Amino acid sequence: RLMSERMWQEHLAGFERHAKSVSAEPFHRTLNVEAQRKDGVEVPVEISVAVGGPSADPIFTAVVRDMTEHRAVVERLNDALQRLQFHIERMPLAYIVWDVDFRVVEWNRAAEQIFGYAKAEAVGKHAYQLVVPPEAVEAVDQVWANLLHGDTSSHSTNPNMHKDGSRMTCEW
């Protein structure tokens, strides 16, 4: 009743295969399949199957979880992530994500244009290797320390460097 008609043969073959291969060792597997509701509508489900037991006769148990809402949430999150990525790549402001060691994790097209480094050149590099000139290190160190201590209101306007060595003033 749980499996849709189109899945019966596949489901029964899998069940028989596992029934024949049951050993004394417990077995557990999680499957993601389409199931059929009482009204005939197919829905995605996650089935956790366990085989085992203290006696010679194996005990088969299954926990079935309707994944319809989960799948819808994942699809909405993926859509939102794609839209966000689209905007980040096309916005005119440099979008740079730094890790806690002040190394580049993300670098958008605007950052490429503003600072002259391709994304492949920038990712993994420390800020001081890319955009922070020696004269700004002390001020930037203070702002970075504030950020690492949770002060997200930190703000700075300081000199920065282009790949060609020219200077510009950036607001961070």
Side-chain angles (χ1 to χ4, degrees), residues 95-153:
Y95 175 81
I96 304 169
V97 176
W98 312 95
D99 67 13
V100 295
D101 296 321
F102 212 7
R103 295 188 182 281
V104 175
V105 176
E106 301 266 348
W107 186 270
N108 73 350
R109 288 185 207 164
E112 288 181 343
Q113 293 171 352
I114 293 168
F115 296 107
Y117 293 96
K119 181 177 184 173
E121 294 176 285
V123 171
K125 294 282 192 325
H126 193 280
Y128 297 161
Q129 294 174 286
L130 295 171
V131 299
V132 180
E135 66 270 18
V137 168
E138 189 176 327
V140 172
D141 274 348
Q142 184 58 54
V143 171
W144 187 247
N146 292 343
L147 287 169
L148 290 176
H149 286 95
D151 180 4
T152 56
S153 68

Side-chain angles (χ1 to χ4, degrees), residues 7-105:
M7 296 289 292
W8 282 354
Q9 294 304 318
E10 186 178 338
H11 174 69
L12 288 175
F15 186 80
E16 287 173 6
R17 197 171 44 253
H18 289 297
K20 288 177 185 174
S21 67
V22 171
S23 67
E25 296 297 314
F27 165 83
H28 178 265
R29 185 170 178 196
T30 300
L31 309 164
N32 289 292
V33 297
E34 298 293 318
Q36 182 173 293
R37 292 191 324 217
K38 185 176 181 178
D39 62 7
V41 173
E42 288 189 17
V43 294
V45 295
E46 177 184 83
I47 303 175
S48 293
V49 180
V51 180
S55 66
D57 294 327
I59 299 170
F60 291 81
T61 59
V63 176
V64 180
R65 179 176 165 210
D66 184 337
M67 298 297 286
T68 304
E69 183 59 31
H70 175 79
R71 186 179 281 179
V73 167
V74 168
E75 286 175 10
R76 285 194 306 270
L77 285 172
N78 283 335
D79 288 347
L81 182 59
Q82 286 177 356
R83 284 191 308 276
L84 178 60
Q85 194 63 39
F86 176 85
H87 291 298
I88 287 171
E89 284 304 314
R90 285 157 184 80
M91 69 182 181
L93 300 173
Y95 175 81
I96 304 169
V97 176
W98 312 95
D99 67 13
V100 295
D101 296 321
F102 212 7
R103 295 188 182 281
V104 175
V105 176

